[in-house]
Amino acid sequence: MSTEPKAMETTWLLPDLDDEIAAPFWAGTARGELLVQRCSQCGRVRMPPRPMCPHCRSLEHAWDPTSGRGTIWSFAIPHPPLLPAFAEVAPYNVIIVALDEDPAIRFVGNLVARADGPINEIDPRTIQIGDPVQVTFATVDDVTLPRWLRA
Ligand SMILES: [Zn+2]
């Protein structure tokens, strides 16, 4: 008797492209740009996107392109129990990238060997905090996700 579940459609948790606050970020990734919000009042950048500047409380902002370069600030290697789509590919890596322009700006993503490569392709034992990385992009369904390559 097998308790193996039937092969199921992969159900990744993907962002809502219609989210009013984050939509410009996802429009940027679709163009191959990694954007950050910049406050139009005090000039500070912030991530994740939000309607109000946490420093000066201005509601005015613009979107700036970044170099897409950073360093691994931290990482984790998830193991089950996980949501089914993620359990299928575990163990994989989740890295936190500190952006070169402003290391207080951090992105959560996966270190991959190639833009469309699987998230479990990199040997986790080879990942080091401080490693330089460069953003790349891969499209999953209708979402273009930032991912990270070794620089
Ligand atoms: Zn501000």
Side-chain angles (χ1 to χ4, degrees):
M1 182 178 95
S2 172
T3 57
E4 281 293 303
K6 289 276 187 197
M8 57 196 330
E9 284 184 32
T10 299
T11 309
W12 299 100
L13 291 176
L14 293 170
D16 176 7
L17 299 180
D18 296 325
D19 177 83
E20 186 182 335
I21 302 302
F25 176 81
W26 298 112
T29 62
R31 297 188 304 271
E33 293 182 314
L34 188 70
L35 305 178
V36 292
Q37 265 185 329
R38 177 179 298 282
C39 175
S40 299
Q41 186 71 38
C42 73
R44 291 166 116 161
V45 291
R46 61 186 188 249
M47 188 68 198
R50 60 196 106 166
M52 180 182 285
C53 176
H55 306 289
C56 75
R57 295 193 281 174
S58 171
L59 296 173
E60 301 300 317
H61 67 268
W63 288 89
D64 286 359
T66 70
S67 67
R69 287 190 297 271
T71 55
I72 297 176
W73 183 77
S74 188
F75 68 96
I77 309 299
H79 290 77
L82 296 163
L83 292 172
F86 297 91
E88 286 174 16
V89 295
Y92 56 92
N93 72 75
V94 177
I95 64 172
I96 300 175
V97 175
L99 199 63
D100 277 0
E101 289 95 325
D102 183 342
I105 299 296
R106 298 192 181 128
F107 288 90
V108 177
N110 304 109
L111 185 66
V112 291
R114 53 204 152 88
D116 62 350
I119 62 174
N120 57 5
E121 192 171 30
I122 301 276
D123 181 345
R125 294 169 298 183
T126 67
I127 301 173
Q128 297 281 319
I129 289 172
D131 281 352
V133 290
Q134 171 71 49
V135 76
T136 187
F137 299 94
T139 301
V140 177
D141 295 336
D142 58 346
V143 181
T144 304
L145 297 171
R147 313 174 92 199
W148 301 89
L149 299 169
R150 289 193 161 111

